[in-house]
Amino acid sequence: MATFQFAKGRLDGKPSVLLFEAIRDPGEHPVPSPAPTVVYVYSLTHSDGPPGWTPAYFHFVKKNSVPGTFCSSDTALKAVTGLPLSADSSPPLSADGCLH
């Protein structure tokens, strides 16, 4: 239902550590059903907060709705970002991660 992946990249022309979170929402359908997916992007940011505040945190950057529906949040994240699947992810069954 959800996938998290870290990546190094550029944000606004600056090197950044990014966190991608892909969340499928099957609604009232069974979990393996194709469902819309939303990808949230965060950037590692150094805090200038008060003493005792965490020195770094992931700041929200943007939210993207992934076109189409997917049975796997892993394949949805790969489709929208082009990032490779994580090493512990099973190979996708199809482009949308569904059994056909």
Side-chain angles (χ1 to χ4, degrees):
M1 299 272 297
T3 297
F4 297 90
Q5 191 163 356
F6 296 96
K8 289 183 180 180
R10 297 188 82 73
L11 186 63
D12 298 328
K14 298 175 186 171
S16 298
V17 175
L18 303 170
L19 168 62
F20 295 91
E21 176 186 27
I23 301 175
R24 288 181 54 250
D25 181 11
E28 298 194 17
H29 301 289
V31 170
S33 299
T37 304
V38 175
V39 173
Y40 297 88
V41 182
Y42 303 87
S43 175
L44 185 61
T45 304
H46 295 286
S47 174
D48 58 356
W53 188 257
T54 184
Y57 65 96
F58 282 96
H59 174 74
F60 173 76
V61 176
K62 67 180 176 176
K63 172 183 170 183
N64 292 320
S65 294
V66 181
T69 56
F70 291 83
C71 294
S72 163
S73 56
D74 289 335
T75 53
L77 184 60
K78 181 178 177 11
V80 77
T81 64
L83 293 170
L85 294 173
S86 65
D88 63 345
S89 177
S90 300
L93 303 170
S94 61
D96 61 3
C98 299
L99 291 170
H100 291 283

